[in-house]
Amino acid sequence: MNDFLAARSQMAISLGFHIIYSCIGMVMPMFMAVSHYKWIKTGDHVYKNITQAWSKGVAIFFATGAVSGTILSFELGLLWPKFMEHAGPIFGMPFSLEGVAFFVEAIALGFFLYGWNRFNKWFHWFTGVLVGVSGVVSGILVVSANSWMNSPSGFDYINGQYTNIDPIKAMFNSSWFSEALHMTLAAFMATGFAVAGIHALMIARKRNINFHTKAFKIAIVFGAIAAILQPFSGDISAKNAAKKQPAKLAAMESYFHTQPYSPLVVGGIPDTAAKRVKYGIEIPGLLSFLVNDNFKQPVNALDKIPVQNQPPIAVTHIAFEIMIAIGSVMMLIGILYFIALWKKRSWLNKRWFLNLFILSTPFGFIAVEAGWTVTEVGRQPWIIQGVMRTSEAVTPMPGIHYSFYLFTVVYFTLSVAVIFLLSRQIKMVPKLYNH
């Protein structure tokens, strides 16, 4: 493994694990705040028990998210020094503000965890809300920095120099809203379904049914709403990619030849040598309609992109199809849940219905990983779209593959520890809160 591939692989591993920790860390406090509010309003101690149980999970993921996020910040400087040298002054503001949001979240979490029976009940609840809000803001700020890499703005690039730097314009670049919306909804969808799936499993096993039923309802409402809204944010993101990153959109669709009535390809395996998609289903005109709001106007395909500027097509396309397929399934399950609430309440206690949520427990995070693969692989060969290639930003320091091996072991060990702590917490629920 050469150093360039090792550096990219290390970032991929780091981001792949961190995104799960951060999604849960930014969304779970919202669930916790809703449960806490219900306890204050109703006096039902089951909601207090849910809040306290979830707060332990929040603490676990806050710690792991802080560790993995800190590692990432060091990796940016150590693995990609040329990138940070040029980009740091331009998009440093969202990272700085994210640091502020992180500190607010840490302080608020400390107040919340140790504030039981010490603070006014509404102030205590507010500290929990602040944990959630600052976590979501933190996530949006990080995505803003990433969106700048996809749609660089806020500077002039003249003769290899960055001038007229405007950090506000860089932070609120043309892609930040669509990416922030899509990622925030993805976090709520993934975490909502994952938490609901765990509680559905406990309900199916008839363990502390009242506790888990109430917890399931809070989590799945967030997850289902996010899943239903996600296709609309995906449409906004795809339209933006068509304008700012046409090579990425073409790779997502494995769209090789520019033509009127540009087809949308469903599934299939790209054959880059033959420049076609095997086993896929083409829907004529649909890609034109989704991008241009009419069925005839052609969308630029890969034949309009120089080969040296094209991303890895197969990886981008397959990851995109996985994301779309899983997102569609989760949207349908979310719709089924609201149908059950509205018309078919008997479904709520059926084993087949619970099994839908149990089986979908990991779906959201698989879709999140696939989506980030599309975002990062689809931007290649650029680290800053159209400005700096990834190969130009990598460190000249040798031996990066050893670092990659080490950090891979660290992340897998950290994940095993997290799984152990969470499983122990879930097993302790009946003992602690069965009253």
Side-chain angles (χ1 to χ4, degrees):
M1 179 183 290
N2 62 45
D3 288 335
F4 177 56
L5 180 58
R8 287 192 61 196
S9 299
Q10 184 172 327
M11 285 298 296
I13 287 288
S14 301
L15 282 166
F17 280 98
H18 178 68
I19 198 169
I20 295 176
Y21 304 149
S22 59
C23 282
I24 299 173
M26 65 189 275
V27 171
M28 277 294 293
M30 292 298 195
F31 299 174
M32 184 179 74
V34 170
S35 178
H36 196 179
Y37 176 81
K38 284 180 171 288
W39 172 60
I40 293 173
K41 293 297 289 184
T42 67
D44 187 340
H45 274 265
V46 173
Y47 287 115
K48 180 183 179 182
N49 296 339
I50 293 170
T51 305
Q52 291 179 325
W54 278 348
S55 69
K56 292 178 173 63
V58 169
I60 291 169
F61 281 102
F62 178 82
T64 53
V67 171
S68 59
T70 301
I71 291 173
L72 272 170
S73 65
F74 282 113
E75 285 177 343
L76 281 172
L78 293 173
L79 299 179
W80 312 102
K82 287 294 183 182
F83 168 68
M84 292 305 295
E85 176 187 347
H86 292 281
I90 304 172
F91 81 152
M93 179 173 286
F95 277 131
S96 300
L97 294 175
E98 191 274 335
V100 174
F102 173 80
F103 282 120
V104 171
E105 183 181 6
I107 293 167
L109 182 60
F111 275 117
F112 185 82
L113 292 176
Y114 298 103
W116 290 99
N117 303 318
R118 291 182 175 87
F119 296 138
N120 171 277
K121 61 182 181 181
W122 286 110
F123 176 77
H124 186 218
W125 171 78
F126 172 74
T127 63
V129 173
L130 192 58
V131 174
V133 171
S134 57
V136 171
V137 169
S138 179
I140 290 173
L141 288 167
V142 170
V143 172
S144 173
N146 181 267
S147 68
W148 177 84
M149 296 163 68
N150 296 324
S151 300
S153 60
F155 65 96
D156 293 325
Y157 186 63
I158 303 172
N159 297 325
Q161 299 296 318
Y162 299 83
T163 61
N164 300 323
I165 293 172
D166 183 345
I168 299 296
K169 187 176 180 181
M171 184 166 69
F172 295 108
N173 58 80
S174 58
S175 294
W176 86 267
F177 174 76
S178 61
E179 287 196 27
L181 177 63
H182 197 59
M183 187 64 238
T184 302
L185 288 174
F188 275 93
M189 180 179 72
T191 306
F193 271 81
V195 173
I198 292 170
H199 289 293
L201 179 62
M202 296 298 107
I203 296 169
R205 292 178 176 178
K206 301 188 184 303
R207 295 181 183 176
N208 207 356
I209 291 176
N210 189 32
F211 175 95
H212 289 293
T213 299
K214 285 180 166 60
F216 170 85
K217 287 180 179 178
I218 294 172
I220 197 55
V221 165
F222 277 100
I225 290 174
I228 292 168
L229 293 177
Q230 189 66 298
F232 299 101
S233 76
D235 179 64
I236 295 172
S237 294
K239 282 182 166 65
N240 184 71
K243 294 177 181 177
K244 300 297 180 180
Q245 297 177 290
K248 176 187 285 187
L249 181 71
M252 286 159 54
E253 293 294 338
S254 284
Y255 175 47
F256 290 98
H257 306 289
T258 303
Q259 56 188 294
Y261 300 99
S262 303
L264 183 78
V265 178
V266 179
I269 301 173
D271 183 343
T272 54
K275 299 187 184 304
R276 67 187 184 91
V277 179
K278 296 180 179 178
Y279 317 117
I281 300 172
E282 288 192 358
I283 305 174
L286 188 53
L287 183 61
S288 290
F289 177 76
L290 292 175
V291 172
N292 301 315
D293 296 323
N294 71 76
F295 288 98
K296 184 176 181 180
Q297 185 177 344
V299 176
N300 286 336
L302 289 163
D303 58 3
K304 298 289 187 180
I305 311 295
V307 173
Q308 67 271 22
N309 293 339
Q310 293 180 8
I313 297 165
V315 173
T316 306
H317 175 76
I318 292 171
F320 178 68
E321 292 296 323
I322 290 171
M323 179 185 69
I324 293 296
I326 292 176
S328 299
V329 169
M330 295 178 75
M331 178 190 68
L332 292 174
I333 294 174
I335 292 171
L336 277 178
Y337 177 73
F338 286 116
I339 291 173
L341 280 183
W342 183 39
K343 288 287 188 179
K344 299 286 186 179
R345 296 194 70 87
S346 62
W347 288 359
L348 297 173
N349 299 316
K350 300 292 185 181
R351 182 59 189 253
W352 68 266
F353 192 71
L354 291 173
N355 284 342
L356 286 176
F357 299 96
I358 295 169
L359 291 172
S360 64
T361 299
F363 283 3
F365 290 114
I366 296 172
V368 166
E369 297 286 7
W372 270 101
T373 300
V374 172
T375 298
E376 295 304 302
V377 176
R379 190 180 60 245
Q380 300 307 312
W382 306 100
I383 193 168
I384 306 174
Q385 180 70 40
V387 177
M388 177 183 283
R389 291 179 179 270
T390 310
S391 58
E392 297 170 346
V394 71
T395 179
M397 182 176 65
I400 298 299
H401 57 286
Y402 295 115
S403 174
F404 165 63
Y405 299 143
L406 174 63
F407 277 90
T408 300
V409 172
V410 168
Y411 274 110
F412 275 100
T413 303
L414 183 61
S415 295
V416 169
V418 169
I419 292 169
F420 169 76
L421 291 171
L422 288 177
S423 61
R424 189 176 71 167
Q425 177 62 29
I426 292 168
K427 291 175 182 177
M428 289 174 63
V429 165
K431 298 176 184 177
L432 295 175
Y433 307 118
N434 194 15
H435 60 268

